[in-house]
Amino acid sequence: MESGEQPTVVFSPSAELPPLSEQELAVLRQVGQDWSAGLPDRQQRAAELPLDPALNRYRPPTPSRFSRIAQVEQFRAEAPDHLVAEAPETTGPSGERFLARLQRVLMGPPLRSAAVVQERIRKLVALPVLSSDLLSSVAYGPEAMLTILVLAGSAAVGLTLPIAAVLVVLMIAVGLSYRQTIRAYPHGAGSYIVAGANLGSRLGLAAGAGLMMDYILTVSVSVSAGVDAIVAAVPGLAPLAVPIGLLVIAILLAGNLRGVRAAGSLFAAPTYAFVVGILLLIVVGLAQAASHGFAATPPPPLTPTAGLSVLLILRAFASGATSMTGIEAVSNAVPVFKAPEWRNARTTLTWMVSLLVVTFAGIVALMHLHGVVPRPHQTVLSQLAHLTFPRGPLFDYVQLTTALILMLAANTAFQDFPRLLFFMARDGYAPRAFLRLGDRLVFSNGILILSVATAVLLAAFHGRTQSLIPLYAVGVFLAFTLSQAGMVRHWLRERGPHWRKSMLINGVGGALSALVLVTAAVTKFAEGAWVVVVALVVVILTATRIKRHYDAVHTALAAHTLPAGQRERQRDENQEAVERPQQVRHLVVVPVARLDLAALRALAYATSLGQPVFAVHVSPDEEEDDRFRKQWESWGDHLRLEIIVSPHRAIIPSLARYVEALHALRPDVTLTVILPEVVVKHWWHRRLHGHDGRRLRRAVRIFPGIVVTTVPIHVPA
Amino acid sequence: MESGEQPTVVFSPSAELPPLSEQELAVLRQVGQDWSAGLPDRQQRAAELPLDPALNRYRPPTPSRFSRIAQVEQFRAEAPDHLVAEAPETTGPSGERFLARLQRVLMGPPLRSAAVVQERIRKLVALPVLSSDLLSSVAYGPEAMLTILVLAGSAAVGLTLPIAAVLVVLMIAVGLSYRQTIRAYPHGAGSYIVAGANLGSRLGLAAGAGLMMDYILTVSVSVSAGVDAIVAAVPGLAPLAVPIGLLVIAILLAGNLRGVRAAGSLFAAPTYAFVVGILLLIVVGLAQAASHGFAATPPPPLTPTAGLSVLLILRAFASGATSMTGIEAVSNAVPVFKAPEWRNARTTLTWMVSLLVVTFAGIVALMHLHGVVPRPHQTVLSQLAHLTFPRGPLFDYVQLTTALILMLAANTAFQDFPRLLFFMARDGYAPRAFLRLGDRLVFSNGILILSVATAVLLAAFHGRTQSLIPLYAVGVFLAFTLSQAGMVRHWLRERGPHWRKSMLINGVGGALSALVLVTAAVTKFAEGAWVVVVALVVVILTATRIKRHYDAVHTALAAHTLPAGQRERQRDENQEAVERPQQVRHLVVVPVARLDLAALRALAYATSLGQPVFAVHVSPDEEEDDRFRKQWESWGDHLRLEIIVSPHRAIIPSLARYVEALHALRPDVTLTVILPEVVVKHWWHRRLHGHDGRRLRRAVRIFPGIVVTTVPIHVPA
């Protein structure tokens, strides 16, 4: 470690199990005291256990017909009541085991939680992983700016240099701004967190939603651009464009599921290769220009199709600003760096922005010197490469690495999208499943969702997602603007050392970002930016409702005390009370369809619990009723039997309504319905049996105090 | 009722619950005696129940927040332990209730099982329902025959009359043959049953599979023919052909789900209208011919493209034989007639065959008299109508009713396909779900499967299923042949009165059917008949495996006794023993993730059962482990707690393996795992919570003696 600071674990596997508050612990203490009364003490109860929960004297079982896997030693006792599980061996049917093995081959073996620190990445790995999106942007940003300017004729091309100069200022301002943000929020400095912390959760969600959309669009656009490059090289593959795109997504998915470090080592080389190529292009180009005394070739005469207006200049500015999409990548990824996280992240950000400024400025300068204008079937970058390296391998090298980096831009989104979802889920704004660290210590669920979303988008647009390019500046610049506005607010509140200077930097960055945002949103509104607005609203509303639900569940499940008098008959009311075992009154109901072995086992299980129990038979007609009664009497009529004739043959619905009626009769009694369930070996055999347990559980789910259990009986065939 | 005979109920709702054999009852008696030992007696146990299972003093509950439906009186007590359920009111979430109400509007209210006798149909209703397939065949059968003959030039057209004469013999033979079959098998005389009973189950399955394929093809071909007619009338609808076809299937589905009587009244009129139209055409046509002294117009000169060979004549014969597809419809439907079933069915069959012979012979005669030959864009029937009713409403009437009956031919298949599946399911050759009588006393599952299969076929072929026509004679004639061969065998064995005559009729019918079958199979093998052969093999193999599975399950579940000594430690072995409650040893395991209200409820439930119990916590890392231990101690450490650290964050898999290890340690102990389950109100909220119970149940399903229970806790939001 570079300094003595301890690594902080933000992406901890226990994020799924938030700790209890002090107040909750106090209530728990109180509840616990109630339990002691009338129960045998712990020692005595523990002595009654028929086996040792610490698995002493446990030997791995010999393979049986139902578990054909050779079981290895699976638990290691560290203390009498403390076991450590070894690497999970998949048990279960052969199909599931095959899938698990395939997964292990593709993803590598599962990593221990402790490895979360080792999985951190060094700056030299972080740079390519997190910068591919940003650096790939210079392949199209300068051209986008020029494309707008030439609308006003060749004279307007002269404005390239001043606009580029303002863009460089914006880049530096945003870069410095994020440097400050990373220092201020060392545990994760994404726009969602910063805007949320300073401007309120709603604007935080807006920033998060903007980034989410940007990530999804980045992946689909970059993949389809990559596929276009492949198809351009091998035209015969054109009909396979969509399958190839899906394959590329699958590769990105697999690479990222393997873990951050694995993805870094997989995807680092192309990024560095691209940077080397572009730098070479700039150096050689400028050297050539120096030999001409930096004399600029004037652009070819062009017929203006629009007047040179302020709006046009703003549009050119906004289009050029797409060169800096991806600059936010480091901010969400701070916790993934080696310690000291924030400092390493900040250094990496500085490198990234420096590379961006150098490549952007260099390309714009070469454009100016060569008087290049956009042409239909050749990119500006390709023209520059052609002019600088007229023929030979270097031209091909620049072309190839450009295609590769455009495809890899997607990888940055694969890094940041799942982390953004983690932060949102931590705050309750996204499903809790996104908190889960997968086998390889990455947020597999987020990676999967991103892959599915982009695959759907790609398939829906038949691989022509590039028409979506204009949309995605809006989301990014919304996030930039909100994040920096949040920082301005932050400095105003904190007023730490140099707060005025810091605020100025964030203010300038924020203002320029806002200018780009407004220009992009206004000029592209009809083209599709309205979709982004609608999507933003949908995401914010959904996230708010998810949060409201989780909050309600949390309140409902938090142990709370009630005045002693109210505690007795609370089961049926809105407020669920904390129940003591002494208060639970049981009634066990065993539905029996036919007195076969399955039913007898369920009856034996139910009776042996030692609680009040009776049996129910639902008969579709009166004749069957008589037949069943005879079976019951042959068996010996050991239990009270209630027969329900259902003249409409609705067996499970009748049973459900009967259980409901029992519940209504005595809401304070906990009903346990025990059904037999035939367990078969093959999945296709399952189709041949009813799912009574599942159906009944679903039917009575809305009533509290009803437990539906299935007692399995195994059938060899 | 026409005679004093009692109606026999074949399609009984209790077919799903087959009775126990005498031997099983004997074993049951023995098992029951074991139970008495050591258990409190029935009276005492019944007195311990906290409520009266007969629901005395039960008042319908006031609507609560979780059940917003106003509940009506639902159960009627007929005896102390005998309740009758009223018509099912759907409870549950609003979405389910809406669907149930929609279903009731479309299908009508559910019918009581007792109505199965009232739902029987009269002959005048049965005739159109069961004959539409057969009678519609004359719209294309004679033309199919002629199309083959003209290949050999106009001279061959003269062969129409002799071939038609043989076909009439075949029709009468098959008709008489089925009359005999219905008498011999009054509970269902389908080819599957007759062939199975006399030639062995494998040939029975072959006959059944042939019919199944025929039914599916009939529906898709007849629907697409109907759509073609609609599109021909309104060409603008051409791009909507597939949706229209699906709509027609949906109408047939809904009509048939409403019940047999409802389907009869819906679909009767078009069939009678068609019969009237064709009879009118024949009578008027013959009257016109009589005025010319029955002088036949010679057919126009045609260039032969093939020589007149025996094979060609056979092909013409086989093609003409498609006129009699659908003749088997009555045989499967015998139990649906009013009593006396077999006699009414036989009468209906006689009417049907008479109508077939008259219309077929009449059309062939008119064809001959007018010298009609097939033309590209006009059917032979349309040419005849045009010649007979040169202009005016009668021509349109024949055209319209022909289009309608072609579409309604599908309806016969909707009648018979589900019944065929019922018979197969009764024998264990098809999933038991096909035994279930739906709300309207029809086999809804069979109707649904047929609709889905034909809809898929229609969509896959983009509505051009008519290319499948050549295929479907093979299945039908296979069934005819096997059925009649079975009857020959039957008479040989029975040797009742007139057995020689009966056998002769069946023999002639069977031989002619076999001739058609072989001709069709050979001449169309390459065209697609091989598909039928493959499908036959697949159906027979699948059905055999289903049967084998059900037999194995039945054997495994049949109560069987074991020598007393072996009974003790049988749980883990292949043979599941009959267990007495006294033998069941319990151990309850409560996995706890976080000590919230849900966990406390699960703990209270588990503890209150009064069986040995301990808690397990699976921790993703050591820090969380400490945090949880503090919660547990705050609460009072009332139960033995075992902590499992899962360094790979595999919570449910670790838990599953731990439970497996406990099971391995003491296979004789029944483990009950009790998990809390958060129950939310809206389905979309469910996505926001894990499904630990379901996942754990699936993971430990392969081990016997492990019961996984979820204790629900309701959350208001």
Side-chain angles (χ1 to χ4, degrees), chain A residues 366-403:
Chain A
L366 288 184
M367 268 163 48
H368 173 74
L369 290 169
H370 287 296
V372 166
V373 292
R375 283 197 216 158
H377 293 292
Q378 210 182 1
T379 63
V380 164
L381 196 62
S382 166
Q383 290 183 53
L384 290 180
H386 196 66
L387 290 166
T388 312
F389 312 120
R391 189 146 305 153
L394 278 174
F395 172 74
D396 293 338
Y397 176 84
V398 171
Q399 292 291 87
L400 180 74
T401 54
T402 307

Side-chain angles (χ1 to χ4, degrees), chain B residues 291-313:
Chain B
S291 66
H292 305 299
F294 290 106
T297 317
L302 295 160
T303 346
T305 56
L308 185 63
S309 62
V310 175
L311 186 64
L312 191 91
I313 294 172

Side-chain angles (χ1 to χ4, degrees), chain A residues 502-634:
Chain A
S502 302
M503 201 175 82
L504 184 73
I505 293 175
N506 286 127
V508 170
L512 287 173
S513 300
L515 186 66
V516 175
L517 170 66
V518 170
T519 312
V522 169
T523 55
K524 290 168 184 167
F525 192 80
E527 274 179 71
W530 64 270
V531 177
V532 178
V533 176
V534 171
L536 278 176
V537 172
V538 169
V539 171
I540 293 171
L541 287 182
T542 309
T544 315
R545 296 199 64 174
I546 290 177
K547 166 85 168 166
R548 203 186 305 154
H549 175 72
Y550 277 138
D551 283 350
V553 171
H554 183 262
T555 312
L557 292 191
H560 36 243
T561 40
L562 288 171
Q566 285 180 32
R567 233 179 253 153
E568 297 306 314
R569 285 283 301 256
Q570 281 282 345
R571 170 77 61 75
D572 221 11
E573 304 308 315
N574 292 358
Q575 186 64 64
E576 301 254 356
V578 186
E579 225 165 21
R580 281 175 294 153
Q582 302 90 322
Q583 290 171 313
V584 181
R585 298 205 55 185
H586 284 280
L587 176 57
V588 180
V589 185
V590 187
V592 180
R594 203 166 163 268
L595 262 184
D596 54 13
L597 203 55
L600 287 173
R601 167 159 297 175
L603 286 167
Y605 177 87
T607 310
S608 63
L609 285 173
Q611 302 291 341
V613 54
F614 74 99
V616 176
H617 174 71
V618 184
S619 176
D621 56 15
E622 301 277 350
E623 289 160 45
E624 205 280 330
D625 164 7
D626 292 340
R627 278 215 310 262
F628 182 79
R629 220 178 271 275
K630 270 195 207 97
Q631 292 177 17
W632 191 260
E633 275 152 19
S634 298

Side-chain angles (χ1 to χ4, degrees), chain B residues 338-680:
Chain B
K338 286 198 184 295
E341 294 85 358
W342 68 268
R343 200 170 292 166
N344 285 330
R346 216 173 57 165
T347 313
T348 309
L349 178 66
T350 310
W351 293 349
M352 268 171 65
V353 175
S354 311
L355 276 175
L356 172 69
V357 168
V358 169
T359 50
F360 177 79
I363 287 169
V364 170
L366 287 185
M367 268 165 45
H368 174 75
L369 290 169
H370 287 294
V372 166
V373 292
R375 281 197 218 160
H377 294 291
Q378 213 182 357
T379 62
V380 165
L381 197 61
S382 165
Q383 291 183 51
L384 290 180
H386 194 67
L387 290 165
T388 312
F389 312 121
R391 191 146 301 157
L394 277 175
F395 172 73
D396 293 338
Y397 176 85
V398 172
Q399 293 289 91
L400 180 73
T401 53
T402 307
L404 263 178
I405 192 125
L406 279 171
M407 216 180 310
L408 279 187
N411 195 45
T412 304
F414 271 94
Q415 293 289 322
D416 269 8
F417 181 84
R419 291 194 199 110
L420 174 61
L421 273 174
F422 168 84
F423 286 121
M424 289 175 71
R426 203 181 51 178
D427 298 345
Y429 285 113
R432 268 205 310 252
F434 294 114
L435 291 176
R436 193 162 303 144
L437 271 174
D439 280 351
R440 300 287 295 177
L441 292 166
V442 288
F443 299 109
S444 319
N445 289 330
I447 294 175
L448 280 170
I449 284 281
L450 179 62
S451 307
V452 169
T454 51
V456 167
L457 212 56
L458 201 77
F461 281 75
H462 299 285
R464 290 185 298 269
T465 46
Q466 274 155 305
S467 52
L468 301 173
I469 290 188
L471 301 194
Y472 78 119
V474 177
V476 170
F477 279 92
L478 176 65
F480 289 174
T481 309
L482 289 174
S483 152
Q484 299 186 77
M487 284 309 288
V488 170
R489 185 80 179 273
H490 172 81
W491 300 126
L492 268 175
R493 276 207 290 236
E494 298 272 314
R495 296 186 190 245
H498 316 296
W499 69 274
R500 281 169 212 278
K501 197 191 91 194
S502 302
M503 199 174 84
L504 184 71
I505 293 174
N506 286 127
V508 170
L512 286 173
S513 301
L515 186 64
V516 175
L517 170 65
V518 170
T519 312
V522 168
T523 57
K524 291 169 185 167
F525 192 80
E527 273 178 72
W530 64 271
V531 177
V532 179
V533 175
V534 171
L536 278 175
V537 172
V538 170
V539 171
I540 294 172
L541 286 183
T542 310
T544 314
R545 295 199 64 173
I546 291 177
K547 167 85 167 165
R548 201 186 308 154
H549 174 72
Y550 278 138
D551 283 350
V553 171
H554 183 264
T555 311
L557 293 190
H560 36 242
T561 40
L562 288 170
Q566 285 181 29
R567 235 180 252 151
E568 296 305 314
R569 285 285 302 258
Q570 280 283 341
R571 172 75 59 74
D572 221 9
E573 304 308 315
N574 292 0
Q575 185 64 63
E576 301 256 355
V578 186
E579 223 164 23
R580 280 176 295 152
Q582 302 90 321
Q583 291 171 311
V584 181
R585 299 206 54 185
H586 284 282
L587 175 58
V588 180
V589 185
V590 187
V592 180
R594 205 168 162 265
L595 261 184
D596 55 13
L597 204 55
L600 286 173
R601 167 159 299 174
L603 286 168
Y605 177 87
T607 311
S608 64
L609 285 173
Q611 302 291 342
V613 55
F614 73 99
V616 175
H617 175 72
V618 183
S619 176
D621 55 16
E622 301 278 348
E623 289 160 44
E624 207 279 331
D625 164 7
D626 293 340
R627 279 214 311 262
F628 182 80
R629 218 177 273 274
K630 272 195 205 92
Q631 293 177 19
W632 191 258
E633 275 153 19
S634 298
W635 171 63
D637 192 22
H638 293 288
L639 292 174
R640 162 79 194 248
L641 170 70
E642 187 69 26
I643 287 193
I644 302 171
V645 176
S646 174
H648 296 89
R649 304 163 304 287
I651 308 295
I652 297 296
S654 294
L655 194 55
R657 280 180 307 129
Y658 180 68
V659 174
E660 289 166 31
L662 293 177
H663 170 73
L665 206 54
R666 283 292 298 272
D668 59 319
V669 168
T670 299
L671 292 168
T672 302
V673 184
I674 297 182
L675 288 159
E677 183 190 30
V678 172
V679 177
V680 292

Side-chain angles (χ1 to χ4, degrees), chain B residues 681-697:
Chain B
K681 243 165 114 183
H682 302 293
W683 64 266
W684 70 271
H685 283 157
R686 235 169 281 151
R687 303 262 131 230
L688 300 176
H689 299 273
H691 300 283
D692 292 347
R694 212 157 68 193
R695 288 179 62 206
L696 185 65
R697 197 173 287 125

